[in-house]
Amino acid sequence: MTKVLVLNGPNLGRLGSREPEIYGTLDYAGLQSALLKTASELGLDADVRQTNSEAELISWLHEAVDTGSSVVLNPAAFTHYSYATRDAAALVTKAGLKLVEVHISNPHAREEFRHNSVIAGVASGVIAGFGVDSYLLALRVIAS
Ligand code: DQA
C-alpha cells in the first residue's frame, strides 16, 4: 500500500474559524476525515498531521524519506520564506518520492508576499486554489 503523509503547517489547525471567506468553513477535523475517506477509496495508507512548528514539520519530512512515504504538503506561511522547509522537501523528491505542494486558496491572487513559493522548485508539482479539493486532487496524483 502506498504510504502518504499529508502535512499541514502553521495556523491550518484553525480552519473553519480562520478567515472563512478565504479558507472556507470546513474545520481541520473535517479536512482530516475527508482526506482519510478519499485516501482509503484510492487504496492509500494516509496519515494527516498539522503543526505550528517548523522543526516538527521538518522532522516529518525526514520521516517521509526514512519510511518511503509520498507527501502532500501545505506549508502554509512557511511556503513563502522557509528555506529549511524547502531543503527538507528537496530530500523527499531527491529520494524519488512524490511531494505535492497544495494550497486551499490561490496565493497568486492574494498579497504580493504570497506570490513566491520557496518550496515549489523542489516539489513534484503544485495544486492551489481549489479549497479542500486541492488536497483530494493531490491524493489522486499520488495514487496514479
Ligand atoms: C495557504 C496560503 C498561505 O499563503 C497561507 O499563509 C496559509 C494557507 C493556503 O492553503 O491557501 O496559511 O497555504
Side-chain angles (χ1 to χ4, degrees):
M1 221 180 194
T2 302
K3 287 188 291 237
V4 50
L5 291 180
V6 183
L7 305 180
N8 291 285
N11 303 304
L12 290 167
R14 294 279 164 165
L15 285 178
S17 59
R18 175 190 181 201
E19 299 181 90
E21 66 287 0
I22 295 173
Y23 298 113
T25 52
L26 188 71
D27 64 9
Y28 179 72
L31 172 71
Q32 251 182 330
S33 50
L35 284 167
L36 292 174
K37 179 170 176 284
T38 299
S40 96
E41 285 163 9
L42 293 169
L44 299 171
D45 174 12
D47 193 348
V48 184
R49 305 178 190 175
Q50 189 273 328
T51 182
N52 295 323
S53 153
E54 190 178 25
E56 188 166 39
L57 185 59
I58 289 166
S59 72
W60 289 344
L61 290 165
H62 294 174
E63 181 187 328
V65 174
D66 295 342
T67 58
S69 302
S70 299
V71 175
V72 176
L73 175 63
N74 186 343
F78 293 150
T79 305
H80 312 299
Y81 66 89
S82 173
Y83 298 122
T85 303
R86 175 197 165 99
D87 287 347
L91 292 175
V92 177
T93 47
K94 295 271 187 212
L97 298 160
K98 277 186 196 151
L99 181 145
V100 184
E101 177 184 336
V102 300
H103 299 282
I104 296 168
S105 68
N106 175 2
H108 299 282
R110 301 179 62 196
E111 303 96 317
E112 185 91 35
F113 75 90
R114 296 186 202 275
H115 295 184
N116 187 48
S117 166
V118 301
I119 313 294
V122 299
S124 310
V126 181
I127 303 173
F130 299 104
V132 171
D133 285 345
S134 295
Y135 293 84
L136 302 181
L137 290 165
L139 289 178
R140 286 190 187 282
V141 169
I142 285 167
S144 71

